[in-house]
Amino acid sequence: MVFLPFPRLASPGPQLQSRPAWTARQAWAGLCLALLPLLHGLARAAGDEPPIFVLNSKDADVSVIDPSTWEEIKRIPTGKEPHHLYLTPDEKSLIIANAFGDSLTFIDPRTAEVQRTVRGILDPYQLRFSPDMQWFVTAANRLNHVDIYRWDGENLTLAKRIPTRRTPSHIWIDAASTTAYVTMQDSSELVAIDIPTQKLLWRIPTGTLPADVYGTPDGRYLLIGLTGGDGVEIYALGASSDVPPKLKQTLPTGAGAHAFRVVGDGRHVLVSNRVANTISKIDFVNLAVVDEYPGPSGPDCMDLTADGRYILLSSRWAGKLSVIDTQTRKVVRQVKVGKSPHGVWTLDHAPRQ
């Protein structure tokens, strides 16, 4: 309930001396009573926070968590092995990629209601929209190919299926929407694909088990998490997309560097270290680790609350969503979800660029 205090009244002037002192207070109280329904409505609207979604890869469903109570309020069945998720450019649908289900599940990010299922998308392990919203790219981790689709705002049309080497893992698309960079997990490579022509431009060797890939906003560097190593490789991009990048340095972060989540301040990105059970904060301007947070039980994907204070982390080995306070550097709560939680997402998040 919202309470409005009585105003302090100045000493009445001569024209008010004959009026009872309680009249103004009565009028104010009446106004407050009249406004109560509106105030209750505003309070409810302020409390209607978008839910948090956690993909349970081994349960073939999605946990929906209420961020005001931190309780799982329902499960949404999906296809087999949902691993990653992405928002449509119009912010009307959250797309869940079901790798073994060969399908995409569209969910309303505000109401957590299923909108539709798109079938015939082969092994969509990882997915990403191009910044210009014209292209949709998936990596088939099991079937060793990358699919490039045209997107008209509603439907997907396959432009080309591009064979790759072993286990395409994660995707990054440049700001110009012309180049997709894809890590090859089990052949330890990075490949680049020209999106408009769907041609493979080059491939270069990387460290062991490359996973997530992140491109800095200035277009200078690509960062690759080495799940089979203990850090992040940093590559200097060439003058054009058809020129292979060169390894600049390997930045130690922790064993099993895996997934990135940009902080949204134009300078920092987080990386989860799955084996070390930590999260490192990287300054990608100075190319240095500047902070570290706990990441319990096999940290994987992350999201960040809108104020930037809390990291929402999937703890895969524990089957929990962990919430980490970046100010105290402590785990402040854990929410039980399903088996092998992977992707984490909420609409009420810090900027992603």
Side-chain angles (χ1 to χ4, degrees):
M1 176 165 306
V2 179
F3 294 95
L4 295 180
F6 287 120
R8 292 187 177 183
L9 299 177
S11 298
Q15 72 276 19
L16 296 179
Q17 291 291 347
S18 61
R19 300 179 63 184
W22 49 264
T23 303
R25 289 182 177 268
Q26 276 189 328
W28 181 253
L31 176 61
C32 289
L33 288 173
L35 287 174
L36 276 178
L38 174 62
L39 294 172
H40 280 302
L42 290 174
R44 283 195 299 271
D48 288 340
E49 300 175 76
I52 297 168
F53 298 88
V54 182
L55 306 189
N56 302 311
S57 297
K58 296 302 182 184
D59 282 341
D61 58 25
V62 180
S63 291
V64 181
I65 297 169
D66 183 339
S68 61
T69 63
W70 293 102
E71 294 180 351
E72 182 185 69
I73 54 178
K74 70 174 180 177
R75 292 276 186 101
I76 302 174
T78 62
K80 292 181 180 179
E81 294 210 9
H83 290 288
H84 296 100
L85 63 175
Y86 210 88
L87 188 68
T88 55
D90 59 10
E91 296 193 350
K92 292 182 179 179
S93 300
L94 187 62
I95 303 178
I96 313 298
N98 309 307
F100 269 71
D102 294 335
S103 64
L104 304 173
T105 303
F106 285 63
I107 296 175
D108 188 312
R110 295 168 178 84
T111 66
E113 297 299 322
V114 175
Q115 298 168 324
R116 60 175 168 144
T117 299
V118 177
R119 304 190 186 281
I121 309 294
L122 295 184
D123 189 21
Y125 172 76
Q126 231 264 347
L127 68 168
R128 183 172 287 273
F129 277 101
S130 61
D132 67 3
M133 306 177 189
Q134 302 299 308
W135 304 95
F136 181 76
V137 182
T138 62
N141 190 263
R142 161 175 55 98
L143 299 179
N144 298 331
H145 66 251
V146 170
D147 283 345
I148 298 181
Y149 294 86
R150 292 185 175 88
W151 168 257
D152 64 5
E154 181 69 20
N155 299 304
L156 297 169
T157 303
L158 182 63
K160 190 171 183 180
R161 176 162 294 142
I162 303 165
T164 61
R165 292 182 184 168
R166 295 171 56 201
T167 329
S169 182
H170 287 66
I171 308 161
W172 180 263
I173 299 177
D174 69 347
S177 300
T178 57
T179 309
Y181 301 95
V182 187
T183 54
M184 300 290 119
Q185 181 177 309
D186 290 322
S187 57
S188 297
E189 295 173 302
L190 175 71
V191 305
I193 298 170
D194 183 79
I195 296 176
T197 64
Q198 297 94 54
K199 292 182 179 179
L200 198 148
L201 297 172
W202 45 257
R203 66 173 67 243
I204 60 171
T206 66
T208 307
L209 297 178
D212 205 359
V213 53
Y214 169 75
T216 58
D218 58 12
R220 296 180 62 191
Y221 302 112
L222 282 178
L223 278 62
I224 296 176
L226 299 180
T227 305
D230 59 1
V232 170
E233 287 186 333
I234 301 175
Y235 288 84
L237 288 165
S240 61
S241 60
D242 58 347
V243 177
K246 294 183 178 180
L247 180 62
K248 179 177 176 63
Q249 69 180 86
T250 299
L251 183 65
T253 59
H258 188 75
F260 293 108
R261 187 5 173 134
V262 68
V263 172
D265 60 359
R267 180 155 189 157
H268 298 96
V269 65
L270 304 174
V271 62
S272 57
N273 304 305
R274 184 180 288 178
V275 178
N277 291 323
T278 60
I279 299 169
S280 299
K281 184 177 182 180
I282 298 173
D283 179 336
F284 52 69
V285 175
N286 293 324
L287 304 181
V289 173
V290 295
D291 213 339
E292 185 175 276
Y293 311 103
S297 304
D300 204 303
C301 292
M302 299 168 284
D303 209 346
L304 200 63
T305 56
D307 59 6
R309 179 165 180 177
Y310 297 102
I311 300 170
L312 308 175
L313 171 73
S314 59
S315 292
R316 292 198 76 169
W317 314 144
K320 294 179 180 179
L321 171 72
S322 297
V323 182
I324 298 102
D325 187 330
T326 59
Q327 293 184 5
T328 64
R329 297 176 183 79
K330 293 182 179 179
V331 178
V332 292
R333 71 175 69 247
Q334 289 187 304
V335 182
K336 185 65 179 175
V337 291
K339 296 177 182 176
S340 192
H342 202 158
V344 178
W345 192 90
T346 180
L347 190 63
D348 189 21
H349 58 243
R352 297 184 182 277
Q353 293 294 341

